Structures are given as structure tokens and as C-alpha cells.
Amino acid sequence: MTFRHRHLLGIEPLHPLEITELLDRADHYATLNREGRAPRDVLAGLTQINMFFENSTRTQASFELAGKRLGADVMNMAMQASSLKKGETLIDTALTLNAMRPDLLVVRHPNSGAVDLLAQKVNCAVLNAGDGRHEHPTQALLDALTIRRAKGRLHRLSIAICGDIAHSRVARSNIMLLGKMENRLRLIAPPTLMPSGVAEFGVEVFDDMEEGLKDVDVVMMLRLQKERMDGGFIPSEREYFHRYGLDAAKLAHAKDDAIVMHPGPMNRGVEIDGTIADDINRSVIQEQVEMGVAVRMAAMELLARNLRAERTGTEATA
Ligand code: NCD
């Protein structure tokens, strides 16, 4: 089985074998990146446009670098200054860009579902770089690759996802991916930050960190998404850190060799203690950033392969 999608909009439609194929390819690119030998011809002749309607540091930089390492022509649209501000709809912007014939469109948008909608209007490959609280597939894939490299496998692990799960597209994509790969998932959050309908996910739910972290292999911390809250979700940041912030005392309940993850950007002293985040024996946060580039290279390569096959197929039958 090979990865056979036109777009990468979410983890939901992916088969476990497709996930494995993508991770294997990304692992290969991680090695080439370390050796400074990324092949410049893989995306040569293709145009990649990055459209970020929400702020981003690492995801945008990572997609840009991934495209450039594989030889694509990469353009970053400054969406803050775009015609959207003049009242143009998302669809009109998409159609305008589509007319410029890009091959890969990387989109981040504050509204859940906006990237899916856009994908229906264009004839290039679309990659979801995060839509509202819906999905962030490349983040889940880079997390999976980081876990697989640290633990030597991506199944039958006990993994805790902690913090602001309700507002997190990272959590949603990770729950789906890690569930598909048959891991045991534990969600730890105050009841106000636990999504409704969580029982359907096939996970264990905790509101106490010490109980939830007991004997886990992986501790995945999430940022408090204040921009998606309209007040009243937590009593105070100080109180939140006391009960849900990851510090040495709480981490002591996990396995001795448990790894600590965070997708960034981190609020030190709110969801994670700075010394834990910087502890190179426990934290794989920098490795996550490194794997981000490799995963995005692999994702764009596979989509470009499918796009080229589709185009040649169309030409052949035309
Ligand atoms: C995440 C995002 O934007 O969803 N960050 C990221 O992509 N590295 C998580 C977050 O913003 O907290």
C-alpha cells in the first residue's frame, strides 16, 4: 500500500500503513538533513505557496525550509496584509492564487474546516498547517516520528496528552494518529479544558496529573490556547501551573525513561517548568522541531508524486 491522497487535510482519512510510509520517508530525510545531503531535485519545477492566516513561527519556517531543501520555488504570502483585509473572501483569494498555478498550497487558518473548503476549490495539492481546533496533521506526524525514534516503536506505548485539550488541533490529530497505531492514550485536563464527547475517542480521562501520568512512556504537554478562550476556563495561571503544569515532582510519576514533548510555543511556568523543558535527558522538544522539517519534506514529496501521476494520467487520456 502506498500513500494515495491528493491532499493532506487531516490524520482522519489516513491508513496506518500510509502513516508508516510517510514516517519511513521522513526518517530517511532526517538522516539526509543531518548529513546536509537533501536532494534538490525532488520538488524542482514545482511552486509552493504558504498562506498563513494565523501567526506561526516554527510551522511556517519548517514548511518553507522543507520546500527549499527539496528544490521547490517557495513563496510566503503575507496574509495579514492581503486583500482579505479589503473584504475578499477566502474562496476568492484561493481562486486568485489557483490561477497562478501553484502545485503545493500550505494553509493555516483560524476556522475549523476552512482548509478543507479551500481544497475543494483549487487544482493543486493542499496541506493543512492547522485549521482552528480541528486538525494539524503534520504536527501529529512529526510527534509520531519523534516518539518512534526515541522509543524504537510507535505501538503499545502509554501516552499522556495534558492540558488544554479542548482547544487543541494538535491534541485532536495526535489522538487520532496514536489511536490508529494502537497505543494507550490518557487525556489529562481540568474538566473545563476537556472536550465534550471525549468518551468516543477510546481514551482514559483524568483530571489529576499524578494519577494520569502514572507509568506513562510519553508526556505530551499542550499550550494554554488563550486566543481561543473567552475567559473563565482556568482560575489563574499560577493555580493552573500548580495543578497541571509539568514539574519534576509530577514527572516522577511517569516511567523513569519517559520523554517530554511540547509542540511549541511554550508558556514556561504555565504548562511546563522551564528546567524540564530544557532537560536534554527527558525533553525531546528540539528533536520535534528537527523532525518537523523532515516530515514536511516527506509529505510534500508524496503529494507531489501523486499530483504528477494524476497530471500525466490526465494528459495521457486527453
Ligand atoms: C501548535 C499550533 O499552532 O496548533 N503549534 C505549532 O504548530 N507548533 C500548538 C500551539 O499553538 O499551541
Side-chain angles (χ1 to χ4, degrees):
M1 169 149 200
T2 59
F3 186 92
R4 56 185 165 75
H5 298 271
R6 169 82 186 272
H7 307 293
L8 180 59
L9 299 175
I11 296 299
E12 199 165 15
L14 301 186
H15 188 279
L17 290 175
E18 292 177 314
I19 294 171
T20 302
E21 183 193 2
L22 205 149
L23 296 183
D24 290 347
R25 203 61 198 150
D27 218 354
H28 167 70
Y29 280 129
T31 307
L32 294 186
N33 284 342
R34 283 193 181 177
E35 295 167 357
R37 294 196 295 119
R40 299 266 166 191
D41 58 343
V42 173
L43 299 179
L46 299 185
T47 302
Q48 172 191 339
I49 301 184
N50 297 335
M51 291 167 78
F52 280 66
F53 296 91
E54 240 187 26
N55 294 343
S56 169
T57 313
R58 72 214 80 222
T59 305
Q60 183 165 354
S62 171
F63 266 112
E64 182 174 352
L65 210 53
K68 286 182 171 161
R69 289 218 175 130
L70 295 179
D73 293 315
V74 186
M75 186 177 100
N76 289 310
M77 293 282 295
M79 297 319 295
Q80 315 294 359
S82 78
S83 292
L84 277 181
K85 289 269 181 284
K86 300 181 187 166
E88 187 173 73
T89 66
L90 171 68
I91 299 303
D92 284 335
T93 308
L95 293 177
T96 304
L97 285 178
N98 193 48
M100 298 179 193
R101 300 202 159 272
D103 304 288
L104 298 157
L105 208 50
V106 179
V107 188
R108 168 169 287 192
H109 200 280
N111 297 344
S112 308
V115 184
D116 288 45
L117 183 70
L118 195 142
Q120 292 164 24
K121 307 286 175 190
V122 297
N123 36 33
C124 60
V126 176
L127 293 101
N128 182 1
D131 65 323
R133 31 174 116 168
H134 178 226
E135 279 239 36
H136 191 351
T138 55
Q139 179 69 44
L141 288 160
L142 76 87
D143 289 339
L145 182 59
T146 307
I147 294 171
R148 197 174 81 168
R149 288 167 63 103
K151 294 282 153 203
R153 66 179 200 275
L154 190 58
H155 59 275
R156 283 189 290 106
L157 291 166
S158 181
I159 300 171
I161 303 181
C162 321
D164 186 359
I165 298 168
H167 299 103
S168 176
R169 53 198 177 206
V170 174
R172 263 184 66 87
S173 291
N174 264 303
I175 290 167
M176 274 185 273
L177 193 157
L178 297 168
K180 279 177 199 269
M181 305 314 267
E182 297 181 5
N183 294 286
R184 287 183 300 274
L185 290 181
R186 301 173 143 219
L187 305 187
I188 315 174
T192 48
L193 295 177
M194 192 65 86
S196 52
V198 82
E200 296 158 28
F201 295 157
V203 296
E204 283 182 274
V205 174
F206 298 85
D207 69 0
D208 179 86
M209 283 287 272
E210 297 185 356
E211 233 180 280
L213 290 180
K214 193 165 174 0
D215 293 333
V216 298
D217 299 290
V218 177
V219 183
M220 191 181 285
M221 300 307 299
L222 298 171
R223 181 176 66 88
L224 267 189
Q225 309 252 318
K226 287 180 237 160
E227 74 277 22
R228 297 189 215 285
M229 296 181 191
D230 41 19
F233 284 89
I234 56 161
S236 71
E237 288 187 355
R238 217 180 118 95
E239 173 71 7
Y240 183 82
F241 180 70
H242 176 66
R243 295 205 48 194
Y244 296 97
L246 186 67
D247 57 13
K250 296 190 190 86
L251 184 57
H253 293 265
K255 282 200 184 135
D256 289 342
D257 62 352
I259 55 168
V260 174
M261 308 179 75
H262 192 302
M266 273 185 281
N267 293 309
R268 289 171 184 259
V270 179
E271 68 261 357
I272 189 164
D273 185 286
T275 49
I276 299 282
D278 297 334
D279 180 352
I280 52 166
N281 295 314
R282 306 305 292 268
S283 162
V284 292
I285 295 171
Q286 295 308 323
E287 168 114 349
Q288 286 175 272
V289 178
E290 182 183 357
M291 291 310 119
V293 178
V295 155
R296 287 159 183 137
M297 289 165 82
M300 290 197 287
E301 176 187 36
L302 295 180
L303 291 177
R305 179 192 71 189
N306 294 352
L307 192 69
R308 283 183 172 125
E310 188 186 306
R311 285 177 180 166
T312 359
T314 317
E315 276 160 29
T317 53

